[in-house]
Amino acid sequence: MLNYKQKKNQPVKGKRFLISVTVLGSAGPIRFVVNEEDLVAAVIETALKSYAREGRIPVLGSNLNHFMLYCPISGTEALSPWDNIGAVGVRNFMLCKKPLTENAIDGEKSPTVSRKAAGSWKTWFHKSLSLKISSH
């Protein structure tokens, strides 16, 4: 009988760090460990799986193409799904659904990024910050 044990001293590719992903409309953030070389798309997929596994509300679905990952510190532009998560340099992110717009060709609704949607997210974000800051 052979014992199969994982080697504890296996080299890890890249640095690993804990990130926090807040889902817009959810009660609290999801925290998990990622490699700095992981793609943003892989982080979105992991966040959606963790969110569903925990049974959180509202139900989001599992198609990562319907979501955008933002870094609230760096601005209102969504991160590219092909960027490395470690290149951003932060550990707190926000996951939002892409707004649905009607596709003129198919007559179906599909998620796309529009200027108006980015502006509404920006407005919501600034309002939420202003509620937390108290003046003396």
Short mmCIF file of all heavy atoms in Angstrom, two decimals, residues 12-19 33-40 43 82-91 93:
data_model
loop_
_atom_site.label_atom_id
_atom_site.label_comp_id
_atom_site.label_asym_id
_atom_site.label_seq_id
_atom_site.Cartn_x
_atom_site.Cartn_y
_atom_site.Cartn_z
N VAL A 12 5.37 27.66 -5.69
CA VAL A 12 4.13 28.28 -6.12
C VAL A 12 4.46 29.30 -7.20
O VAL A 12 5.38 30.10 -7.04
CB VAL A 12 3.43 28.98 -4.92
CG1 VAL A 12 2.16 29.67 -5.38
CG2 VAL A 12 3.13 27.98 -3.84
N LYS A 13 3.71 29.27 -8.29
CA LYS A 13 3.94 30.22 -9.37
C LYS A 13 3.41 31.59 -8.96
O LYS A 13 2.22 31.75 -8.70
CB LYS A 13 3.24 29.77 -10.64
CG LYS A 13 3.81 28.51 -11.22
CD LYS A 13 3.08 28.13 -12.47
CE LYS A 13 3.62 26.85 -13.06
NZ LYS A 13 2.90 26.44 -14.26
N GLY A 14 4.26 32.57 -8.91
CA GLY A 14 3.85 33.92 -8.55
C GLY A 14 3.46 34.05 -7.09
O GLY A 14 3.42 33.08 -6.35
N LYS A 15 3.18 35.25 -6.70
CA LYS A 15 2.75 35.51 -5.32
C LYS A 15 1.25 35.26 -5.20
O LYS A 15 0.49 35.47 -6.14
CB LYS A 15 3.04 36.96 -4.94
CG LYS A 15 4.49 37.27 -4.84
CD LYS A 15 4.68 38.72 -4.43
CE LYS A 15 6.14 39.08 -4.37
NZ LYS A 15 6.31 40.50 -4.04
N ARG A 16 0.85 34.82 -4.04
CA ARG A 16 -0.56 34.63 -3.74
C ARG A 16 -0.97 35.68 -2.72
O ARG A 16 -0.19 36.02 -1.84
CB ARG A 16 -0.79 33.23 -3.19
CG ARG A 16 -0.46 32.16 -4.21
CD ARG A 16 -0.60 30.80 -3.61
NE ARG A 16 -1.95 30.66 -3.09
CZ ARG A 16 -2.69 29.57 -3.16
NH1 ARG A 16 -2.18 28.51 -3.71
NH2 ARG A 16 -3.90 29.53 -2.68
N PHE A 17 -2.19 36.18 -2.87
CA PHE A 17 -2.69 37.14 -1.89
C PHE A 17 -4.20 37.05 -1.78
O PHE A 17 -4.88 36.52 -2.66
CB PHE A 17 -2.23 38.57 -2.22
CG PHE A 17 -2.59 39.04 -3.60
CD1 PHE A 17 -3.75 39.74 -3.83
CD2 PHE A 17 -1.73 38.82 -4.67
CE1 PHE A 17 -4.08 40.19 -5.10
CE2 PHE A 17 -2.04 39.26 -5.93
CZ PHE A 17 -3.22 39.94 -6.15
N LEU A 18 -4.71 37.53 -0.68
CA LEU A 18 -6.13 37.51 -0.38
C LEU A 18 -6.79 38.74 -0.99
O LEU A 18 -6.33 39.86 -0.81
CB LEU A 18 -6.35 37.51 1.13
CG LEU A 18 -7.79 37.48 1.61
CD1 LEU A 18 -8.41 36.11 1.34
CD2 LEU A 18 -7.85 37.79 3.10
N ILE A 19 -7.87 38.51 -1.75
CA ILE A 19 -8.62 39.64 -2.29
C ILE A 19 -10.03 39.63 -1.73
O ILE A 19 -10.52 38.62 -1.23
CB ILE A 19 -8.68 39.65 -3.84
CG1 ILE A 19 -9.44 38.44 -4.37
CG2 ILE A 19 -7.29 39.74 -4.42
CD1 ILE A 19 -9.77 38.56 -5.84
N VAL A 33 -8.25 33.55 -2.06
CA VAL A 33 -6.84 33.72 -2.40
C VAL A 33 -6.65 33.51 -3.90
O VAL A 33 -7.22 32.58 -4.48
CB VAL A 33 -5.96 32.72 -1.62
CG1 VAL A 33 -4.51 32.83 -2.02
CG2 VAL A 33 -6.11 32.94 -0.12
N VAL A 34 -5.86 34.39 -4.53
CA VAL A 34 -5.55 34.29 -5.95
C VAL A 34 -4.04 34.41 -6.15
O VAL A 34 -3.33 34.89 -5.28
CB VAL A 34 -6.26 35.41 -6.76
CG1 VAL A 34 -7.76 35.28 -6.69
CG2 VAL A 34 -5.83 36.78 -6.30
N ASN A 35 -3.59 33.96 -7.30
CA ASN A 35 -2.21 34.19 -7.72
C ASN A 35 -2.15 35.53 -8.43
O ASN A 35 -3.11 35.93 -9.10
CB ASN A 35 -1.73 33.10 -8.68
CG ASN A 35 -1.50 31.79 -7.99
OD1 ASN A 35 -1.07 31.76 -6.85
ND2 ASN A 35 -1.81 30.71 -8.67
N GLU A 36 -1.04 36.22 -8.31
CA GLU A 36 -0.94 37.52 -8.97
C GLU A 36 -0.99 37.40 -10.49
O GLU A 36 -1.30 38.37 -11.18
CB GLU A 36 0.34 38.24 -8.53
CG GLU A 36 1.61 37.62 -9.01
CD GLU A 36 2.85 38.37 -8.56
OE1 GLU A 36 2.72 39.41 -7.89
OE2 GLU A 36 3.93 37.92 -8.90
N GLU A 37 -0.73 36.22 -11.04
CA GLU A 37 -0.75 36.02 -12.49
C GLU A 37 -2.12 35.60 -13.01
O GLU A 37 -2.30 35.45 -14.22
CB GLU A 37 0.29 34.97 -12.87
CG GLU A 37 1.70 35.42 -12.54
CD GLU A 37 2.72 34.31 -12.72
OE1 GLU A 37 2.33 33.17 -13.05
OE2 GLU A 37 3.92 34.59 -12.53
N ASP A 38 -3.11 35.39 -12.13
CA ASP A 38 -4.45 35.01 -12.56
C ASP A 38 -5.09 36.12 -13.38
O ASP A 38 -4.91 37.31 -13.08
CB ASP A 38 -5.35 34.70 -11.36
CG ASP A 38 -5.01 33.38 -10.69
OD1 ASP A 38 -4.25 32.59 -11.28
OD2 ASP A 38 -5.51 33.15 -9.58
N LEU A 39 -5.85 35.74 -14.39
CA LEU A 39 -6.56 36.71 -15.21
C LEU A 39 -7.79 37.23 -14.47
O LEU A 39 -8.36 36.54 -13.63
CB LEU A 39 -6.99 36.08 -16.53
CG LEU A 39 -5.88 35.63 -17.47
CD1 LEU A 39 -6.48 34.97 -18.71
CD2 LEU A 39 -5.00 36.80 -17.88
N VAL A 40 -8.19 38.44 -14.81
CA VAL A 40 -9.39 39.04 -14.21
C VAL A 40 -10.61 38.16 -14.49
O VAL A 40 -11.46 37.98 -13.62
CB VAL A 40 -9.59 40.48 -14.74
CG1 VAL A 40 -10.94 41.04 -14.33
CG2 VAL A 40 -8.46 41.38 -14.25
N VAL A 43 -10.81 35.45 -12.01
CA VAL A 43 -11.22 35.97 -10.71
C VAL A 43 -12.74 36.17 -10.69
O VAL A 43 -13.40 35.84 -9.70
CB VAL A 43 -10.48 37.28 -10.38
CG1 VAL A 43 -11.04 37.95 -9.14
CG2 VAL A 43 -8.99 37.00 -10.21
N TRP A 82 -8.56 40.28 -19.66
CA TRP A 82 -7.29 39.66 -20.05
C TRP A 82 -6.11 40.17 -19.25
O TRP A 82 -4.99 39.72 -19.44
CB TRP A 82 -7.05 39.87 -21.54
CG TRP A 82 -8.24 39.44 -22.34
CD1 TRP A 82 -9.05 40.24 -23.10
CD2 TRP A 82 -8.79 38.14 -22.43
NE1 TRP A 82 -10.06 39.51 -23.64
CE2 TRP A 82 -9.93 38.20 -23.26
CE3 TRP A 82 -8.45 36.90 -21.87
CZ2 TRP A 82 -10.70 37.09 -23.55
CZ3 TRP A 82 -9.23 35.79 -22.17
CH2 TRP A 82 -10.34 35.90 -23.00
N ASP A 83 -6.34 41.11 -18.34
CA ASP A 83 -5.26 41.62 -17.48
C ASP A 83 -5.00 40.66 -16.34
O ASP A 83 -5.88 39.91 -15.92
CB ASP A 83 -5.64 42.98 -16.90
CG ASP A 83 -5.59 44.09 -17.93
OD1 ASP A 83 -4.97 43.90 -18.99
OD2 ASP A 83 -6.19 45.15 -17.66
N ASN A 84 -3.79 40.71 -15.81
CA ASN A 84 -3.46 39.96 -14.60
C ASN A 84 -4.00 40.72 -13.40
O ASN A 84 -3.89 41.94 -13.33
CB ASN A 84 -1.95 39.79 -14.44
CG ASN A 84 -1.38 38.85 -15.47
OD1 ASN A 84 -2.09 38.07 -16.09
ND2 ASN A 84 -0.08 38.92 -15.67
N ILE A 85 -4.55 39.99 -12.45
CA ILE A 85 -5.13 40.63 -11.27
C ILE A 85 -4.06 41.30 -10.41
O ILE A 85 -4.32 42.31 -9.77
CB ILE A 85 -5.98 39.62 -10.45
CG1 ILE A 85 -6.90 40.34 -9.48
CG2 ILE A 85 -5.11 38.61 -9.73
CD1 ILE A 85 -8.04 41.04 -10.13
N GLY A 86 -2.84 40.78 -10.44
CA GLY A 86 -1.76 41.36 -9.65
C GLY A 86 -1.25 42.67 -10.21
O GLY A 86 -0.61 43.45 -9.50
N ALA A 87 -1.51 42.93 -11.51
CA ALA A 87 -1.03 44.16 -12.14
C ALA A 87 -1.76 45.39 -11.62
O ALA A 87 -1.25 46.51 -11.72
CB ALA A 87 -1.18 44.06 -13.65
N VAL A 88 -2.94 45.20 -11.06
CA VAL A 88 -3.75 46.32 -10.57
C VAL A 88 -3.12 46.92 -9.32
O VAL A 88 -3.14 48.13 -9.13
CB VAL A 88 -5.20 45.87 -10.31
CG1 VAL A 88 -6.04 47.03 -9.82
CG2 VAL A 88 -5.80 45.26 -11.55
N GLY A 89 -2.57 46.08 -8.45
CA GLY A 89 -1.89 46.56 -7.26
C GLY A 89 -2.78 46.80 -6.06
O GLY A 89 -2.36 47.39 -5.08
N VAL A 90 -4.04 46.38 -6.13
CA VAL A 90 -4.95 46.53 -5.00
C VAL A 90 -5.57 45.17 -4.68
O VAL A 90 -5.44 44.22 -5.44
CB VAL A 90 -6.06 47.56 -5.27
CG1 VAL A 90 -5.48 48.94 -5.47
CG2 VAL A 90 -6.89 47.16 -6.45
N ARG A 91 -6.29 45.11 -3.57
CA ARG A 91 -6.87 43.85 -3.14
C ARG A 91 -8.38 43.92 -2.92
O ARG A 91 -8.99 42.94 -2.53
CB ARG A 91 -6.19 43.38 -1.87
CG ARG A 91 -4.73 43.09 -2.15
CD ARG A 91 -3.96 42.85 -0.91
NE ARG A 91 -2.55 42.85 -1.23
CZ ARG A 91 -1.71 41.91 -0.87
NH1 ARG A 91 -2.11 40.91 -0.17
NH2 ARG A 91 -0.46 41.99 -1.22
N PHE A 93 -12.08 44.79 -4.69
CA PHE A 93 -12.71 44.95 -5.99
C PHE A 93 -14.22 44.97 -5.83
O PHE A 93 -14.76 44.58 -4.80
CB PHE A 93 -12.31 43.80 -6.92
CG PHE A 93 -10.83 43.71 -7.16
CD1 PHE A 93 -10.04 42.90 -6.38
CD2 PHE A 93 -10.24 44.46 -8.15
CE1 PHE A 93 -8.68 42.82 -6.58
CE2 PHE A 93 -8.88 44.40 -8.36
CZ PHE A 93 -8.09 43.57 -7.58
#
